[in-house]
Amino acid sequence: RLNSSIKIIMNELFGEDNFRNEIIWKRSQNISSGDKKFRHSTDSIIYFTKSKNSYFNLLYNEFDEKYLEPYKFEDKNGKYRHAPLMVSGKRNGETGKPWKGIDPNKFGRNGMHWVTIHKNLDKFENEKKIYWTKNGQPLLKYYLHETKGKPITDLWDDINLISATGNESLNYPTQKPLKLLERIVLSTTKENDLIADFFAGSGTTAEIAEKLNRKWICSDLGKFSIHTCRKRMISVQRELKANNKNWRAFEILNLGKYQRQHYIYDG
């Protein structure tokens, strides 16, 4: 409901040019029927950066059957699919000029151009990675072993909410799955980077940052949140120590009065 308002605020803070994605997280697979409206089953993650020079690491999921379907050809080097070496549109540079006697402008309704320069096309040819069709059009043999997996898109439908009876649950109302924060941290930060979460909640961000060797600062107005984070991070320290991994001390700073209602609520 507030996505549009949040995006307007972030446009002012970071600049419209630094907007990267609105990621849709399908957080529940079991949805009951709604009352005069579609049932809400997703959350949005608004992704901005401070500049165009920001770090980004594209992540991959394991192959699924649908992704593997195009890899129906095979030779001594393994399974492969055909990938086009020409795409729509004319170009005036090298990619628009003939290669091996083939003029890309003669293909397609409005002409085409090579996906790369002639030097790279020669390299593909020398490596025997080109398949020639009956009409003389070259296609690239794209081998399965050369791909890292299925690239993760802006639709995250493989991370479910935490089960109330699962081992990960801390019985905190806004707790997010570890896998969700792990994906965010791995895709946008490097080791020893500093991560800040100003609405720490149950401390999922702090746990993932610590386990992935990132520095972290977390804050929250709720005393129950700070109590939960502290207890959680002590458990993380013990887990890392038991596995002979590096673990670090952390400091708790009280900078003012906390909200008290959740802490004193007896249920």
Side-chain angles (χ1 to χ4, degrees):
R1 187 179 297 178
L2 295 176
N3 285 358
S4 57
S5 299
I6 291 173
K7 191 174 179 183
I8 289 173
I9 294 172
M10 295 186 76
N11 279 338
E12 294 179 0
L13 290 172
F14 297 99
E16 293 184 24
D17 291 342
N18 290 324
F19 170 72
R20 295 294 174 262
N21 288 104
E22 180 173 352
I23 300 163
I24 304 301
W25 171 36
K26 185 179 179 182
R27 54 185 173 78
S28 180
Q29 306 295 335
N30 300 315
I31 307 300
S32 58
S33 60
D35 182 16
K36 296 185 178 180
K37 66 177 182 180
F38 295 109
R39 193 73 173 179
H40 182 61
S41 66
T42 64
D43 278 339
S44 294
I45 302 169
I46 311 298
Y47 174 28
F48 276 79
T49 61
K50 290 182 67 177
S51 73
K52 292 183 179 180
N53 297 322
S54 61
Y55 173 81
F56 180 74
N57 174 37
L58 180 61
L59 302 177
Y60 300 84
N61 274 329
E62 294 182 0
F63 301 113
D64 56 33
E65 291 185 6
K66 188 174 181 180
Y67 186 82
L68 293 174
E69 284 178 1
Y71 292 88
K72 55 187 177 181
F73 308 102
E74 189 171 4
D75 60 19
K76 64 179 182 180
N77 295 318
K79 291 185 177 182
Y80 65 91
R81 63 178 173 86
H82 290 146
L85 284 170
M86 289 187 287
V87 290
S88 298
K90 292 184 178 182
R91 293 290 186 271
N92 294 324
E94 182 179 349
T95 58
K97 296 180 180 179
W99 174 77
K100 296 287 185 181
I102 301 172
D103 186 353
N105 293 307
K106 294 182 179 180
F107 288 85
R109 180 176 298 179
N110 299 312
M112 304 185 78
H113 66 275
W114 302 109
V115 298
T116 187
I117 59 177
H118 292 181
K119 180 180 178 181
N120 292 332
L121 295 174
D122 290 333
K123 182 174 180 291
F124 294 148
E125 177 74 357
N126 293 333
E127 293 174 348
K128 301 187 184 303
K129 287 186 176 181
I130 291 183
Y131 171 83
W132 295 91
T133 64
K134 292 181 179 179
N135 66 349
Q137 182 178 353
L139 297 173
L140 178 66
K141 292 182 178 181
Y142 194 82
Y143 288 96
L144 180 60
H145 64 78
E146 293 178 331
T147 184
K148 297 178 181 178
K150 184 179 180 181
I152 292 174
T153 68
D154 58 2
L155 173 60
W156 295 0
D157 58 357
D158 57 336
I159 303 175
N160 291 333
L161 284 170
I162 297 170
S163 170
T165 58
N167 295 331
E168 192 177 323
S169 175
L170 298 176
N171 197 30
Y172 196 93
T174 59
Q175 183 182 354
K176 300 299 186 294
L178 284 166
K179 188 176 179 181
L180 178 69
L181 270 298
E182 179 184 51
R183 179 169 293 177
I184 293 172
V185 169
L186 286 176
S187 61
T188 58
T189 69
K190 296 176 285 188
E191 287 195 43
N192 295 312
D193 278 353
L194 176 62
I195 296 172
D197 185 347
F198 300 111
F199 305 90
S202 64
T204 305
T205 300
E207 177 174 344
I208 281 297
E210 186 69 23
K211 288 182 174 179
L212 295 177
N213 196 29
R214 272 73 168 169
K215 302 171 186 176
W216 53 271
I217 297 174
C218 290
S219 66
D220 203 286
L221 285 175
K223 192 168 185 178
F224 180 58
S225 166
I226 302 303
H227 174 74
T228 303
C229 290
R230 175 183 176 275
K231 184 177 179 181
R232 184 174 192 169
M233 294 312 297
I234 290 173
S235 296
V236 171
Q237 287 178 326
R238 290 172 177 169
E239 178 184 341
L240 292 172
K241 185 177 180 180
N243 293 325
N244 294 318
K245 295 183 178 179
N246 181 49
W247 60 278
R248 297 169 291 194
F250 61 90
E251 186 177 13
I252 299 177
L253 302 175
N254 184 354
L255 302 181
K257 293 183 179 180
Y258 292 102
Q259 293 174 340
R260 300 180 65 242
Q261 59 267 32
H262 289 299
Y263 187 65
I264 63 176
Y265 176 63
D266 60 10

